[in-house]
Amino acid sequence: MDDQNLELSTEEAQSLAKTLQQQLSDGCLVNSDQESISRMIAGLGDNRGKLRLTFAKSLGLVGEAALPALCSALRNHSNVIVRRAAAKTLNIIGSADALPYLYEAFIEDEDPVVQGSSAGAMATIGPPAIETILSILNNPNCTPFQIGLANLGLSFIGSKAPEALRDAARSEHAEVRVAAISALGDQIQSLQDLEAKELLVSALKDVNQEVRAEAATLLGKLQDPEEATPLLCSSLEDTCPQVRKNAALSLMKLEAEDALKALNQALELEQNNDVKAVFAVAINQIDR
């Protein structure tokens, strides 16, 4: 029987899982021959979550030797449960050799769980996956859901690859700059990355309004009102309504009392009713 079509009966899966569980408990090596790997991958399709976890852990211990079969299962298996579990198992292994297959699964598999688990596995791989994740952000065919997953992955990797993230913040592609700016927060706070902070400040003047809006939002998360307040007050005059909204919301989050005068002046001049409403809320919250 073709390995991709191999199925285990309920009893076979239970028996194999019991054997593997005992090996895991005893700290024994799990068999890594192709037949054993194929049987464990077939077990990933079992309806019992506890058994699937045993098979995934066992394949994780097999490691690199299981990669070809797992990557093949991820891309070709007819059972979506197997594809999902294969992606999660590749997450356990964390090998960069799986990146092309994870990318293909992320782009081509219609199942959102496969997409999410593939994105998680790419993020686990770390810095070697940044280029792949950035290519997702540049792909015009990706859905908002996929873009969101890619953003999360980039944020997860960011602190491990600060230079790559800074380079992404300078990308010629606006989608990449938006994602990179969003991911810079942890880098600025945990690493005290001054260059990253300069990139964030520069992003407030970016030609793309989505980049400016993201930068205004991030400034509100950094808990540095003394430095952020004058920058955000300037953004209250931005040509883009969303940037003005985000700037006001960030000032509100920072409880920036020094911004009350600028907010009141902006409210008087504002023509957009939606933005005016946000300004009013921010003023009321800060004034409390």
Side-chain angles (χ1 to χ4, degrees):
M1 180 180 289
D2 189 328
D3 286 349
Q4 291 297 336
N5 297 315
L6 178 64
E7 294 182 5
L8 300 180
S9 67
T10 301
E11 293 76 16
E12 287 174 328
Q14 183 72 52
S15 175
L16 178 58
K18 184 177 180 180
T19 300
L20 291 169
Q21 189 61 56
Q22 188 62 53
Q23 291 175 332
L24 291 172
S25 299
D26 294 342
C28 298
L29 293 176
V30 176
N31 291 335
S32 58
D33 59 278
Q34 287 308 306
E35 181 181 353
S36 297
I37 291 171
S38 296
R39 286 173 60 79
M40 285 186 278
I41 288 177
L44 294 177
D46 196 274
N47 289 323
R48 292 161 291 186
K50 187 175 181 180
L51 266 64
R52 289 200 304 275
L53 182 58
T54 296
F55 295 130
K57 286 182 177 179
S58 300
L59 285 162
L61 287 176
V62 170
E64 298 281 341
L67 278 179
L70 277 169
C71 291
S72 179
L74 172 65
R75 296 298 298 119
N76 303 313
H77 209 286
S78 59
N79 186 342
V80 69
I81 296 176
V82 173
R83 300 201 304 276
R84 292 172 177 176
K88 292 173 183 176
T89 306
L90 288 168
N91 193 343
I92 294 173
I93 296 174
S95 171
D97 290 341
L99 270 174
Y101 303 93
L102 290 165
Y103 173 79
E104 290 173 2
F106 181 88
I107 295 295
E108 298 176 9
D109 201 300
E110 296 181 356
D111 182 72
V113 178
V114 173
Q115 293 177 8
S117 296
S118 296
M122 285 189 279
T124 297
I125 290 167
I130 280 188
E131 186 174 341
T132 300
I133 293 176
L134 291 178
S135 72
I136 292 169
L137 296 170
N138 285 330
N139 190 328
N141 296 319
C142 283
T143 65
F145 174 71
Q146 289 172 312
I147 295 297
L149 290 173
N151 283 334
L152 286 174
L154 191 62
S155 297
F156 181 83
I157 299 173
S159 61
K160 303 175 185 176
E163 186 174 343
L165 200 56
R166 291 195 296 266
D167 288 343
R170 302 184 186 95
S171 170
E172 62 182 29
H173 302 286
E175 296 86 357
V176 173
R177 296 201 303 279
V178 170
I181 292 299
S182 176
L184 282 175
D186 289 339
Q187 196 162 316
I188 292 172
Q189 287 185 312
S190 62
L191 302 179
Q192 295 296 304
D193 190 328
L194 295 180
E195 187 178 347
K197 185 176 285 189
E198 290 174 3
L199 286 168
L200 172 59
V201 173
S202 297
L204 288 170
K205 302 298 182 183
D206 196 277
V207 294
N208 182 274
Q209 63 186 33
E210 292 183 11
V211 176
R212 300 199 304 274
E214 190 61 46
T217 295
L218 181 56
L219 274 173
K221 297 177 181 178
L222 296 183
Q223 298 303 311
D224 188 359
E226 184 175 347
E227 186 168 352
T229 296
L231 296 170
L232 290 168
C233 286
S234 295
S235 292
L236 295 174
E237 302 174 3
D238 195 277
T239 56
C240 172
Q242 191 60 54
V243 176
R244 300 198 297 276
K245 285 183 186 179
N246 289 6
L249 291 171
S250 286
L251 287 167
M252 181 179 72
K253 188 170 184 177
L254 292 169
E255 300 178 350
E257 295 182 10
D258 292 346
L260 280 172
K261 181 179 179 180
L263 279 165
N264 278 295
Q265 290 176 342
L267 178 60
E268 291 179 11
L269 297 172
E270 184 59 55
Q271 301 298 312
N272 185 301
N273 288 332
D274 290 340
V275 178
K276 289 176 72 172
V278 173
F279 283 177
V281 169
I283 291 168
N284 288 335
Q285 286 293 109
I286 295 172
D287 214 13
R288 285 183 180 180

